[in-house]
Amino acid sequence: MTNRFSLALHGGAGTILRSKMTPEKETAYRAGICDALAAGHTVLKKDGSAMDAVVATVCALENNPLFNAGRGAVFTSAGKQEMDAAVMDGATRKVGAVAGVFGPRNPICVARAVMDTTDHVFFTGDAALEIARQAGVPFEDASYFFTETRWQALQDTLRLRAQGTESNDPARRHGTVGAVARDMSGNLAVATSTGGMTAKAPGRIGDTPVIGAGTFADNESCAVSATGHGEVFIKYCAAHEISARMRFAGQSLADAARYVVMEDLAKNDGSGGLIAVDRHGNITMPMNSEGMYRGFVTEDGQLTSLIYADE
Ligand code: ASP
C-alpha cells in the first residue's frame, strides 16, 4: 500500500543515557520532536512538496537548543561552532550542501540556497556565507548559538582527552537533526543538519553534508538521513548503500537499512542510526545505539515521538 504522504525526523543518536534522563528533559525532547513534525505535516497536508516539508521540519529542530544543529550546536576542540547541512531532492537529484558555516540562523536554508541559486552543489567558508546573505537567510550572533550544556560537554571531553580517555556518554559525543518525506506527488526529499561531534578538530567535516553518506534521496529507491560517527558513515557510503541494496539486490527499505546499520556500521565502530522513507511512503528508523531521538506523523496528523531503541 502506498501512503499519500509520509514524514519522519531524527534529533540525533546522542540520546541522554537512560540513567541520566529526567521526566522534565524527556518531556522537553518529546515536545521538540512533535513541534518539528507538526511543522512538516502542515506543509505536506496542503499538498506542499517533500522538500519544503523536510526544510520546515529541520528549521524547527535547528531553532531548538536541545538538538545539535543551529542553536545549541556542539563546539570544536578550539571552542568554536562549525555547522554542516545538506538537502537532496529525490525527483531531480538536485543537491545543496554546506560545511563549516557559522552565523546563519538555519544552516539548512543555506544548503537549500546552494541548491536553488547556484550551479554547484557544495560550498564552505565565506562563499557559503555570501550565498546565504544573497538569499536573505537571517544571521545571528554567537550568543544566540551558545548553550552552557554544550560548552560543559566540551570541557568534560577535553579533560577526559587530556587523561587519555574518551567519553562513553553518547549525549556528549553525538547529535544531528534530519527529516525525510514523501509528498502527495510521490516525490522524496531529505534534509540533514549538524554541529558535528563534540571536540572535533577545527575544519573537520562529517557525513551530514556528504551526499551518499549522511544524506541521500532518489525517487526510485529511498530518502535517508543519518546520525552517528560520521567518519564511518562516510567510509561505508551509508545512505547510498541502502539505495543500492534496494535497486540491485531487490531488498526492502527495512532490510537494506537494517543491514547497513547493524552490519556495515555497527561492526566497524560506526555507532548511530538513520531514518529512511521509500517511494511507497514506508518508514524505517534503525539504530545500533542506545537510542535516537526520532518521530513520525501519520496523514491524519497523529504525532509519535520515540527516544530509546526498545520503544
Ligand atoms: N554524524 C554527525 C557527524 O559526524 C554527528 C552525529 O550525528 O552524531 O558530524
Side-chain angles (χ1 to χ4, degrees):
M1 201 189 91
T2 297
N3 296 323
R4 281 194 316 144
F5 62 84
S6 298
L7 172 71
L9 69 75
H10 71 80
T15 50
I16 296 175
L17 290 170
R18 236 187 192 126
S19 54
K20 294 189 181 163
M21 185 58 100
T22 64
E24 294 74 27
K25 281 186 196 159
E26 185 168 339
T27 303
Y29 276 101
R30 289 192 191 276
I33 291 169
C34 289
D35 288 350
L37 284 171
H41 183 258
T42 301
V43 175
L44 289 173
K45 76 173 182 212
K46 290 188 199 142
D47 199 13
S49 71
M51 178 56 67
D52 286 344
V54 293
V55 169
T57 305
V58 165
C59 279
L61 293 165
E62 287 179 335
N63 294 344
N64 187 330
L66 290 176
F67 300 101
N68 173 19
R71 186 177 212 177
V74 301
F75 291 90
T76 68
S77 59
K80 297 272 193 317
Q81 289 162 302
E82 297 179 355
M83 303 175 203
D84 304 337
V87 292
M88 185 164 183
D89 180 342
T92 58
R93 285 204 179 217
K94 278 182 151 189
V95 167
V98 290
V101 297
F102 179 77
R105 184 191 302 161
N106 293 108
I108 202 67
C109 293
V110 191
R112 177 128 195 212
V114 168
M115 183 180 82
D116 288 344
T117 69
T118 80
D119 293 331
H120 307 293
V121 299
F122 202 167
F123 282 88
T124 61
D126 290 344
L129 298 182
E130 188 50 31
I131 290 163
R133 280 187 205 100
Q134 294 293 331
V137 175
F139 278 58
E140 300 287 351
D141 61 22
S143 63
Y144 170 84
F145 295 103
F146 180 92
T147 58
E148 190 59 36
T149 314
R150 299 297 188 194
W151 185 253
Q152 279 314 319
L154 173 65
Q155 307 315 314
D156 293 345
T157 305
L158 293 178
R159 196 169 45 247
L160 287 170
R161 210 175 260 182
Q163 294 163 2
T165 55
E166 280 284 335
S167 170
N168 62 356
D169 182 344
R172 249 189 231 154
R173 292 185 67 196
H174 282 320
T176 285
V177 306
V180 293
R182 176 196 192 273
D183 63 27
M184 286 197 213
S185 306
N187 291 321
L188 306 184
V190 57
T192 315
S193 177
T194 192
M197 294 173 79
T198 299
K200 66 184 180 181
R204 175 266 189 191
I205 298 167
D207 60 316
T208 295
V210 177
I211 299 304
T215 301
F216 185 74
D218 173 24
N219 274 9
E220 291 305 305
S221 54
C222 59
V224 181
S225 174
T227 169
H229 190 168
E231 282 70 9
V232 185
F233 283 68
I234 292 174
K235 288 186 218 169
Y236 284 83
C237 303
H240 183 266
E241 182 72 13
I242 295 169
S243 166
R245 284 182 163 275
M246 293 173 74
R247 288 194 296 145
F248 305 132
Q251 292 188 339
S252 69
L253 176 75
D255 287 350
R258 172 154 285 276
Y259 187 92
V260 169
V261 171
M262 298 305 186
E263 299 291 325
D264 289 346
L265 298 172
K267 294 187 175 161
N268 293 289
D269 195 27
S271 66
L274 52 86
I275 54 167
V277 63
D278 71 12
R279 61 202 177 97
H280 303 294
N282 297 309
I283 287 168
T284 192
M285 306 193 279
M287 78 207 77
N288 60 42
S289 43
E290 180 180 307
M292 175 170 73
Y293 300 114
R294 63 201 187 281
F296 62 93
V297 56
T298 53
E299 288 178 20
D300 61 4
Q302 201 181 316
L303 309 168
T304 300
S305 66
L306 302 160
I307 298 180
Y308 296 103
D310 53 13
E311 281 180 57

